[in-house]
Amino acid sequence: MEKLSVIASSPLFEMLSTAELHRLAELARARNFAAGEVIFEEGDLGDSLFVVVHGQVEVARRQPGGGMHSLAVLSPPEFFGEMGLIDKDFRSATVHAKTDVDLLQLSAQDLRDFRSTHGDGFTFIVVNIARSLSARLREANVRLASKA
């Protein structure tokens, strides 16, 4: 997997300079999960952001009385896990590999290291995360309104 090309193609990292993209590629770790394998579980402490490179992941929440409710299926170049970085809280959902999946992982420490040398680039990433979260909230509101 060519980490640099994946990072450069992700909307999350748009507007970063070539040097910033190279630094993120150095920091990112390639991860592979087989279909059905859990990436993280609801209740785990959030400490990493993941970018989908190949395959699909499913985000789901436990339902009262058992079972899981699917919230989203994510494909390249989507990302997940960002909430654990923002609020340093426990994961609110479980994510598993829906298919065999390749991911790039950036930990909170990786992003702190990046911020220390590339503050402007870090700001762009935070703004792009906020834009994505805002879009996801709008989509959820539309879905809720259509059910009413």
Side-chain angles (χ1 to χ4, degrees):
M1 164 188 347
E2 174 57 39
K3 294 190 293 185
L4 180 60
S5 65
V6 170
I7 286 173
S9 69
S10 173
L12 182 59
F13 306 117
E14 68 185 9
M15 302 199 48
L16 296 183
S17 70
T18 301
E20 290 166 333
L21 293 170
H22 278 276
R23 179 65 179 138
L24 280 177
E26 289 171 7
L27 294 169
R29 282 175 301 291
R31 302 286 309 274
N32 310 98
F33 294 87
E37 193 173 353
V38 173
I39 298 161
F40 60 74
E41 292 194 50
E42 188 174 337
D44 289 350
L45 189 59
D47 69 345
S48 293
L49 163 79
F50 297 86
V51 177
V52 182
V53 176
H54 178 264
Q56 293 183 320
V57 299
E58 183 172 31
V59 181
R61 291 201 65 182
R62 289 187 191 101
Q63 292 188 312
M68 299 294 280
H69 173 71
S70 180
L71 300 174
V73 174
L74 305 176
S75 302
E78 294 179 283
F79 63 92
F80 61 95
E82 71 283 354
M83 294 302 291
L85 296 177
I86 292 169
D87 58 16
K88 298 180 183 165
D89 205 349
F90 297 99
R91 302 286 190 185
S92 60
T94 295
V95 178
H96 72 271
K98 188 167 177 70
T99 64
D100 289 349
V101 66
D102 299 323
L103 305 171
L104 288 181
Q105 179 180 2
L106 287 161
S107 71
Q109 183 61 52
D110 294 333
L111 292 173
R112 282 192 293 276
D113 292 346
F114 180 76
R115 181 182 64 205
S116 71
T117 56
H118 300 286
D120 289 343
F122 180 79
T123 300
F124 286 133
I125 293 171
V126 171
V127 167
N128 286 338
I129 287 173
R131 283 184 184 142
S132 175
L133 292 174
S134 177
R136 289 176 187 176
L137 285 172
R138 278 193 300 278
E139 291 168 11
N141 283 333
V142 167
R143 283 193 307 269
L144 286 173
S146 71
K147 291 182 181 182

